[in-house]
Amino acid sequence: FPSHDTFEAAVKVDTTKLEQLVYEAIGSFGSNGCISDQVLEMFPTMPYSSATARYKALFDKGLIEIIGTRQGKSGRNQRVMKVKNVG
């Protein structure tokens, strides 16, 4: 079962189901954040563009932040995203 904090965040995040899934996936990495490759690994059936389009929406809503870059599987740097602390 999700923690009470997760439920609180879910209630505050009034978004599409897909945004919710991506938001929770990013949140599951905690304060270290994650790169796109890590999010995509959690949703092997989700089209690449379906996941990546959610990052901008979540960022624009102030729900996630970019905390740096990390090397992805391709060898290129990807932005490290983490859920902003609510409250």
Side-chain angles (χ1 to χ4, degrees):
F1 280 77
S3 70
H4 181 68
D5 290 348
T6 306
F7 179 73
E8 285 283 316
V11 171
K12 288 185 178 124
V13 181
D14 182 25
T15 56
T16 66
K17 185 71 179 153
L18 215 46
E19 275 181 34
Q20 184 69 40
L21 289 170
V22 172
Y23 176 81
E24 288 173 4
I26 295 168
S28 73
F29 289 90
S31 60
N32 288 329
C34 64
I35 58 173
S36 184
D37 282 353
Q38 293 171 294
V39 174
L40 293 166
E41 280 172 12
M42 295 176 77
F43 304 108
T45 60
M46 186 186 291
Y48 176 83
S49 59
S50 293
T52 56
R54 304 300 148 232
Y55 307 146
K56 179 168 174 22
L58 292 167
F59 182 80
D60 288 349
K61 290 177 182 179
L63 299 171
I64 63 170
E65 58 190 335
I66 308 301
I67 58 169
T69 58
R70 225 180 267 157
Q71 201 171 53
K73 281 186 272 189
S74 68
R76 294 166 103 164
N77 279 342
Q78 296 183 6
R79 289 182 297 190
V80 179
M81 305 167 283
K82 86 176 207 29
V83 167
K84 276 192 175 176
N85 294 332
V86 181

